[in-house]
Amino acid sequence: MLDTSDRAHALILAAGRGERMRPWTDTTPKPLLQVQGRPLLQWHVDALAAGGCTDLVINTAWLGEQIPAHFGAAPRTSDGQALRIAYSEEGRDFGAALETAGGIVRALPRLAEVFWVVAGDVYTPGFTFSAAALRRFAQGNKLAHLWLVPNPPHNPLGDFGLSPDGLALNVPAALRENTHTYTYSTIGLYRRGFFTAPFVQSVDTLPPGNPAGVKAPLAPMLRAAMDNAAVSAELYNGPWTDVGTPERLRELNATHPQTTETPSP
């Protein structure tokens, strides 16, 4: 059963420094860099709203004040749909980003029982954040559900395996060369309970709200949950790019010459 409280059903991760995108990210947070005429963040906000998620949380750190300034006091999608956006301001509260798991747990009190997580620096224009997928996940018994993609050139050995019955598999790095693996798209559905499960808590104890501002990665928690058959997954074959380098950003914009250019590095 879906949580019908005022808590958000989606978290967009937008706190990272974007070192590899310098000097663009010296003055602009990476999720506000434009692809095909729209900031990366705007693509996600529009897609989530199209799937029924109009209450969102965005975490911020590096140049974080620019993100609420972009959306303004009355945030809307590109086609004018009203949004409600809350901000988890890690830079203001702790001076820096808290990494993926640390950031999610910091935002946890504002999130519903089940919620989407997506990184603000991936471009995936065909992905549907469907209400049906959210309901299916809520009605199931897994703690997380991940969308995996075919391995891009920059991650040839992938991250996780995928069983025939839809379980995400923890494949050790030493075995990935000889195992069929995929890359985590950074899109997933999570239960709040994922972050309080005993096998996840054994990796790094993070109380809800992360009041101490502990920095913690997500991958070890996911692997611990996978070892307990608590994570499902599916393959996404649509367009997907981790916009991690200036070259990838240029390639995405090469077919859209009217795109507003960011400063050339």
Side-chain angles (χ1 to χ4, degrees):
M1 184 174 180
L2 287 181
D3 185 340
T4 56
S5 72
D6 288 338
R7 290 183 294 184
H9 281 99
L11 169 65
I12 306 176
L13 302 170
R17 171 64 176 88
E19 288 284 356
R20 291 178 298 166
M21 296 297 288
R22 296 183 68 188
W24 290 343
T25 51
D26 287 342
T27 56
T28 303
K30 186 177 175 184
L32 288 185
L33 295 177
Q34 290 199 11
V35 174
Q36 300 282 311
R38 266 188 271 176
L40 283 162
L41 261 182
Q42 193 71 50
W43 284 95
H44 288 326
V45 163
D46 292 349
L48 283 160
C53 287
T54 55
D55 284 3
L56 315 172
V57 178
I58 300 175
N59 74 336
T60 64
W62 175 252
L63 300 175
E65 69 282 353
Q66 293 188 27
I67 292 174
H70 166 76
F71 289 106
R76 294 185 178 274
T77 63
S78 295
D79 63 3
Q81 186 176 1
L83 300 166
R84 188 170 67 173
I85 302 178
Y87 298 95
S88 181
E89 298 174 294
E90 297 168 20
R92 181 199 66 185
D93 296 339
F94 302 106
L98 302 180
E99 299 188 39
T100 305
I104 295 172
V105 178
R106 176 64 177 169
L108 207 58
R110 300 177 176 182
L111 295 168
E113 181 60 33
V114 298
F115 55 92
W116 293 96
V117 173
V118 57
D121 58 358
V122 297
Y123 175 65
T124 178
F127 188 85
T128 301
F129 293 90
S130 76
L134 188 70
R135 283 194 299 271
R136 280 195 304 272
F137 176 68
Q139 292 163 1
N141 63 359
K142 300 304 181 192
L143 294 179
H145 182 83
L146 312 182
W147 275 263
L148 308 178
V149 296
N151 296 331
H154 63 271
N155 192 38
L157 299 183
D159 300 312
F160 307 122
L162 179 60
S163 76
D165 57 349
L167 283 177
L169 304 175
N170 175 18
V171 180
L175 301 180
R176 287 179 212 161
E177 192 165 356
N178 298 309
T179 306
H180 200 170
T181 58
Y182 301 96
T183 292
Y184 178 33
S185 70
T186 76
I187 301 171
L189 283 164
Y190 292 83
R191 293 184 195 279
R192 290 165 62 88
F194 174 93
F195 298 95
T196 57
F199 40 86
V200 169
Q201 286 290 291
S202 68
V203 177
D204 200 343
T205 300
L206 293 174
N210 193 2
V214 175
K215 295 182 179 182
L218 181 61
M221 296 181 177
L222 282 170
R223 294 188 185 282
M226 289 174 192
D227 288 342
N228 284 270
V231 182
S232 55
E234 62 186 272
L235 185 62
Y236 175 67
N237 283 303
W240 177 89
T241 302
D242 171 3
V243 189
T245 65
E247 292 72 27
R248 289 179 217 157
L249 184 60
R250 289 195 193 96
E251 288 172 7
L252 289 171
N253 284 329
T255 58
H256 197 78
Q258 66 268 39
T259 295
T260 300
E261 292 293 334
T262 46
S264 297

